């Protein structure tokens, strides 16, 4: 299997760093966090990431300076800057020192994730496609919004697509109904978790006719995406 894309999130605001890191993990990325430029440099030397999300304002100096140091050290991982400054000259400076994109605070997590995917597509044309998720014979393409099982196109509604994508990104991990509800239907959803069971049944109806069952029930807990066991 293709190893997950690794992203280093650098921000001294622990809450924001954890929030961004969690959102990226939900999207299938592997993440690490750092709270300063020095920590970022050490993290890159220890385990080079595929992309860096870097705050411009850090406790030990500017993120722009940290980016310049990374480039001098030979780090070629693309950098997406986070900043509260949105003047044109600030953006130009960020790109001049080696940044690849610039996201202004406050930002939506959806926007940041879209920018990360766009940068990865642009900078890693021969690498794994960040829009494509696969498990067993199941393929999900966010670019075309298509799902295929064993090469056969499976028509899904937007909610079914989002649910399947979340289960696939977390394949091999048990997800509670609450987790699924929070991520797929968002935290302000007012309904009960019975909707999760209903939509899982919709997905099974559409997927199981093309191969062995992939979405399994964990009694009194939730669901897991995995291959069937030999004992059933």
């Amino acid at each position: 299997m293709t190893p997950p894309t690794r992203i280093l999130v650098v921000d001294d605001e622990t809450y924001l760093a954890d929030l961004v890191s969690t959102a990226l993990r939900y999207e299938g990325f592997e993440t690490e966090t750092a709270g300063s430029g020095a920590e970022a440099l050490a993290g890159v030397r220890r385990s080079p990431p595929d992309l860096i999300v870097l705050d411009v304002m850090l406790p030990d100096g500017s993120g722009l300076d940290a980016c310049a140091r990374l480039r001098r050290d030979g780090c070629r991982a693309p950098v997406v800057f986070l900043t509260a400054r949105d003047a044109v000259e600030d953006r130009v400076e960020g790109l001049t020192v080696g940044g690849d994109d610039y996201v202004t605070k406050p930002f939506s997590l959806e926007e940041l994730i879209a920018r990360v995917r766009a940068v990865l597509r642009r900078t890693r044309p021969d690498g794994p496609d960040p829009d494509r998720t696969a498990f067993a014979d199941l393929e999900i393409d966010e670019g075309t919004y298509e799902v295929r099982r064993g090469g056969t196109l499976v028509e899904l509604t937007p909610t079914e697509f989002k649910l399947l994508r979340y289960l696939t990104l977390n394949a091999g991990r048990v997800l509670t109904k609450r987790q699924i509800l929070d991520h797929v239907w968002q935290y302000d959803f007012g309904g009960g978790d019975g909707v999760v069971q209903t939509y899982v049944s919709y997905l099974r109806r559409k997927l199981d006719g093309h191969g062995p069952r992939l979405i399994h029930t964990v009694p009194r807990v939730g669901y897991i995406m995995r291959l069937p066991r030999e004992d059933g």
Side-chain angles (χ1 to χ4, degrees):
M1 294 180 64
T2 303
T5 300
R6 296 189 62 259
I7 298 179
L8 174 63
V9 179
V10 187
D11 199 307
D12 63 320
E13 294 182 57
T14 304
Y15 170 77
L16 182 58
D18 288 345
L19 185 66
V20 170
S21 182
T22 299
L24 289 167
R25 284 199 301 273
Y26 272 137
E27 298 299 314
F29 297 106
E30 184 179 294
T31 64
E32 183 179 346
T33 61
S36 66
E39 284 184 30
L41 289 166
V44 168
R45 290 167 184 154
R46 181 174 61 252
S47 182
D50 297 302
L51 181 140
I52 302 169
V53 176
L54 179 60
D55 189 24
V56 169
M57 301 297 292
L58 296 172
D60 57 349
S62 166
L64 301 176
D65 293 337
C67 181
R69 289 200 302 273
L70 286 168
R71 295 298 184 237
R72 286 197 299 271
D73 283 356
C75 174
R76 292 292 173 261
V79 172
V80 176
F81 282 114
L82 300 180
T83 181
R85 305 184 314 200
D86 60 355
V88 172
E89 56 267 28
D90 293 324
R91 293 173 181 267
V92 170
E93 185 180 6
L95 298 174
T96 300
V97 299
D100 296 88
D101 205 347
Y102 211 92
V103 179
T104 305
K105 297 178 180 179
F107 56 86
S108 72
L109 291 172
E110 289 80 4
E111 178 193 3
L112 176 59
I113 290 164
R115 295 287 190 93
V116 165
R117 290 185 181 279
V119 168
L120 287 170
R121 280 195 299 271
R122 190 168 71 243
T123 59
R124 303 174 67 197
D126 298 324
D129 186 349
D131 280 341
R132 184 177 175 276
T133 305
F135 177 75
D137 62 347
L138 182 69
E139 297 181 7
I140 301 174
D141 192 324
E142 289 184 68
T144 60
Y145 221 69
E146 290 181 342
V147 172
R148 295 181 183 275
R149 178 87 197 267
T152 301
L153 184 65
V154 181
E155 298 288 346
L156 298 181
T157 67
T159 301
E160 290 168 350
F161 184 93
K162 191 172 183 180
L163 173 58
L164 180 63
R165 179 174 169 280
Y166 183 50
L167 289 167
T168 305
L169 287 171
N170 290 278
R173 174 186 171 199
V174 176
L175 298 172
T176 67
K177 290 182 180 179
R178 186 74 250 176
Q179 285 176 302
I180 295 171
L181 197 64
D182 286 346
H183 187 77
V184 177
W185 280 270
Q186 306 304 325
Y187 296 95
D188 57 356
F189 177 73
D193 59 15
V195 69
V196 177
Q197 182 176 342
T198 299
Y199 272 83
V200 166
S201 70
Y202 292 162
L203 280 179
R204 284 172 170 165
R205 204 174 303 154
K206 294 183 177 183
L207 296 174
D208 292 357
H210 302 286
R213 173 164 290 187
L214 296 178
I215 304 173
H216 300 267
T217 302
V218 180
R220 297 182 296 280
V221 181
Y223 300 94
I224 183 172
M225 172 81 77
R226 62 167 174 78
L227 291 168
R229 299 194 178 106
E230 291 184 4
D231 59 6

